[in-house]
Amino acid sequence: MINWTRVAELRDEIGPEDFSEVAELFLMEVEDTLSRLILAESDPKAMQELMHFLKGSALNLGFSKLSDTCSAAEMEASEGKITLDIPQLKSLYSQSRRLFETEYAQRFAA
């Protein structure tokens, strides 16, 4: 669900001191985007753009399963189809975030 190698790479790139702030900004942007999905439910182009953003954000922060799900939904939307289960996607994000927040402290304890 979480690509911890990617998390470690990002943490090394940013620096341990600034990582928490950057991660929190990513999470806030993802949540904002998730809140806008319902508006794109009948607009494949808008859904494709939102899924592209979510895919990149999730991938950047190591949320691999979420990124994979968004990638599939982005591809479908590019073909004019929207079959995305928005509540399920939000649940996957919540599960990923909980796991990230719980394990991050354990994996990167000072």
Side-chain angles (χ1 to χ4, degrees):
M1 185 171 278
I2 304 291
N3 178 343
W4 290 107
T5 301
R6 176 60 194 136
V7 174
E9 290 170 354
L10 183 61
R11 186 175 182 265
D12 289 345
E13 290 170 14
I14 295 170
E17 310 80 28
D18 296 325
F19 181 81
S20 293
E21 183 177 334
V22 170
E24 189 59 35
L25 284 172
F26 271 117
L27 295 172
M28 286 175 26
E29 288 177 351
V30 167
E31 288 184 12
D32 177 61
T33 303
L34 287 171
S35 73
R36 293 185 285 134
L37 289 178
I38 197 77
L39 301 173
E41 233 177 355
S42 60
D43 183 347
K45 181 68 176 160
M47 183 63 77
Q48 180 183 359
E49 290 171 2
L50 291 173
M51 288 297 103
H52 181 78
F53 174 79
L54 286 174
K55 173 187 74 176
S57 294
L59 191 60
N60 203 21
L61 198 55
F63 287 29
S64 56
K65 189 170 182 178
L66 180 64
S67 179
D68 291 346
T69 301
C70 292
S71 181
E74 177 187 14
M75 184 160 304
E76 276 191 347
S78 75
E79 297 168 354
K81 297 181 270 182
I82 299 176
T83 61
L84 177 67
D85 183 333
I86 294 172
Q88 184 178 16
L89 183 72
K90 289 180 176 182
S91 176
L92 177 58
Y93 166 74
S94 295
Q95 292 169 15
S96 299
R97 182 174 180 157
R98 276 193 304 277
L99 180 63
F100 177 81
E101 290 173 340
T102 300
E103 288 196 24
Y104 179 82
Q106 297 168 355
R107 291 176 180 266
F108 298 99

